[in-house]
Amino acid sequence: MGNIYNFSKNVIQNLIKENKSNSSFIPILLVLFTIPFSFAINNVSLGIFLLVAFISLKREHFKLQKELIFPILLYVLMVISYFWSIDSKATLSALSKEVPLLLIPLGFLIFKTNTSEQKRKIIEYYSYVIVAFVLYYSVRAIIRYLIIGDARMFFYHGENDKDFGLVPKLLNAIHMSVFVAVAFFYFFTKEIKSKTDTLLSVLLFGFILLLSSKNIILVVLFLLLINIFFFSKTAHKLRLRNLIIFGLLLGIIFSIGRIKDRFKVEFQTNTDKSLSANVVEGIPSGVHYVSLKEAWSNPTFTPNDYFNGTAFRVYQLRIFIELINENKVFLTGFGLNASYPKIKEKAIHYNLYMGEKNDSDSGYQSKNFHNQYIQNFSELGIFGLILLLIMLIANIKNAIKSKDFVHFTFAVLMISLFLTESFLWRQRGVVFFTLLYCLFNSGIIQNNSKSEKII
């Protein structure tokens, strides 16, 4: 008890010390810590962040930084889209969910810029909080397994009415994988690692595997490969050893039963390859698995046709192109969150599975584009896509320039995740992306200079 008290006391003292040198330190941590919690708690944290920012405005100068303007411009475009939206009510209701794109950059423009050391400490505290969440959900899974005896408690997420997953459906296994991946690479890439750091790295990596997000697992393995072979101190001396270890690691990962099954369903035929999450779970045997070629070219489908992850995204790319051409909305899009009626029209036209009235699965027609690039283009037009691409390019450019592997991890994860998820159209997603984007890009170390300057 004494050790816990002393540890907690030291943590609190360090937090107060850091916050005295930069008043944004604790507010940023509050928003980051509460992302996995309920939306209400996270909204309160965001309110505290903004309140402290406006108080700070009285004694600190407002700084204009070009990277932080882009998310604000994206939100302004969302607001303007109300005037041409085909579903103005849906657009209006979505604006409150997307408001972090405006408020978080505004706060960072007001606050004093965080130094590299302060950023590192923010990510450090964030990573330990993620460890606490991982421990909680791991213990939760063990207890639920002992009570119910169902191995599904250790994998992915369940459904809203059948919570049999490792994390709740509302939290989402794919999104949680991203949160955990950033924390994992913080511990894994530390230059001087203690035994605790190594243990936590193993714990977080194992949790990512259990969450079973195929896309995130592959990206994490890709980033591990880059770090081990090109960034680690032993990269050149022990390249053969690293290659053998990495090969064994891959073999172990893809031999785990449920993880192997989630990848196997994505490789049904040579024309049916997929690396992304399924959209409808629990498909019974005997249904027809739609190939990539069929998803792109079939004139019609049947309710018995099942789209795996990539096949469904190919179909959605197809209808996106058709919708843009048919409705002539290349410049404007349909309006924020207003593409659903058009998606439903196409689902009816192509005779897709529409769900059952008394079933928790609502069918394919209720799904968004599962691709942030297409989502931006379809609802905000070409300028919405351009703004998103500018942010991603600036993000990875600054990550390479700063030589911060955790920043690089975040940049690569976002580029990849946006191919399979409309991440910014979810409250946790937009808060997570906007906050880390602003944190990492609000100041970088200039070449040949020890001082930090604003870009």
Side-chain angles (χ1 to χ4, degrees), residues 423-437:
F423 191 59
L424 300 184
W425 265 230
R426 295 289 179 262
Q427 183 167 331
R428 288 190 179 91
V430 70
V431 172
F432 179 80
F433 171 81
T434 309
L435 188 61
L436 285 191
Y437 171 85

Side-chain angles (χ1 to χ4, degrees), residues 185 189 223-224 226-227 231 403-410:
F185 277 104
T189 58
L223 289 167
L224 272 173
I226 291 177
N227 185 268
F231 285 86
K403 297 181 181 179
D404 181 348
F405 198 83
V406 177
H407 184 182
F408 182 74
T409 294
F410 169 69

Side-chain angles (χ1 to χ4, degrees), residues 51 71 75 92 220 254 323 350 380 436 445 448:
L51 178 64
Y75 186 75
L92 190 61
V220 167
F254 293 113
L323 289 172
Y350 284 113
L380 302 173
L436 285 191
I445 300 177
N448 303 318

Side-chain angles (χ1 to χ4, degrees), residues 143-382:
I143 294 174
R144 282 151 54 93
Y145 174 75
L146 293 175
I147 295 173
I148 302 175
D150 193 329
R152 286 180 295 174
M153 300 301 178
F154 294 104
F155 299 93
Y156 203 54
H157 60 235
E159 297 301 320
N160 292 328
D161 59 337
K162 298 177 181 178
D163 186 15
F164 289 121
L166 181 59
V167 297
K169 175 68 177 289
L170 187 61
L171 185 53
N172 192 294
I174 299 171
H175 298 179
M176 190 64 184
S177 296
V178 176
F179 306 155
V180 176
V182 172
F184 162 71
F185 277 104
Y186 166 75
F187 291 111
F188 183 79
T189 58
K190 289 179 71 172
E191 289 189 9
I192 302 176
K193 284 194 283 287
S194 64
K195 291 182 179 179
T196 301
D197 294 327
T198 302
L199 178 63
L200 294 180
S201 297
V202 172
L203 172 68
L204 295 178
F205 184 73
F207 198 78
I208 292 172
L209 295 181
L210 293 178
L211 286 170
S212 309
S213 170
K214 298 176 284 294
N215 181 22
I216 303 304
I217 289 174
L218 291 176
V219 174
V220 167
L221 291 175
F222 169 73
L223 289 167
L224 272 173
L225 191 65
I226 291 177
N227 185 268
I228 291 172
F229 286 97
F230 299 103
F231 285 86
S232 66
K233 292 182 179 179
T234 60
H236 299 291
K237 296 180 181 179
L238 301 174
R239 184 160 287 180
L240 179 60
R241 186 209 65 174
N242 290 344
L243 181 61
I244 293 172
I245 293 174
F246 192 79
L248 291 172
L249 181 64
L250 286 178
I252 293 171
I253 290 171
F254 293 113
S255 65
I256 298 174
R258 287 189 176 271
I259 298 174
K260 179 178 69 176
D261 291 342
R262 284 189 57 79
F263 276 92
K264 184 178 178 181
V265 75
E266 299 290 346
F267 291 88
Q268 296 298 321
T269 69
N270 292 331
T271 58
D272 190 24
K273 296 180 179 179
S274 174
L275 304 176
S276 51
N278 293 333
V279 218
V280 175
E281 299 290 343
I283 299 299
S285 59
V287 301
H288 171 67
Y289 282 75
V290 178
S291 70
L292 302 187
K293 181 179 179 181
E294 291 170 337
W296 183 258
S297 59
N298 271 19
T300 187
F301 300 93
T302 72
N304 199 45
D305 287 333
Y306 166 60
F307 293 80
N308 67 13
T310 301
F312 184 63
R313 286 160 177 84
V314 168
Y315 160 79
Q316 289 188 307
L317 174 61
R318 172 188 177 180
I319 67 169
F320 158 72
I321 295 173
E322 291 176 1
L323 289 172
I324 293 294
N325 291 331
E326 292 168 2
N327 295 273
K328 309 298 181 186
V329 289
F330 181 86
L331 292 177
T332 63
F334 295 110
L336 176 65
N337 211 39
S339 61
Y340 287 97
K342 293 297 181 179
I343 293 174
K344 185 175 181 179
E345 286 178 13
K346 285 295 180 180
I348 295 172
H349 172 76
Y350 284 113
N351 195 31
L352 266 60
Y353 172 68
M354 305 290 282
E356 302 293 338
K357 290 183 178 180
N358 297 322
D359 197 344
S360 60
D361 171 33
S362 54
Y364 292 112
Q365 82 288 350
S366 64
K367 311 298 180 183
N368 62 29
F369 280 108
H370 281 75
N371 182 308
Q372 193 62 60
Y373 306 103
I374 292 178
Q375 201 79 45
N376 273 49
F377 200 157
S378 65
E379 297 185 355
L380 302 173
I382 186 62

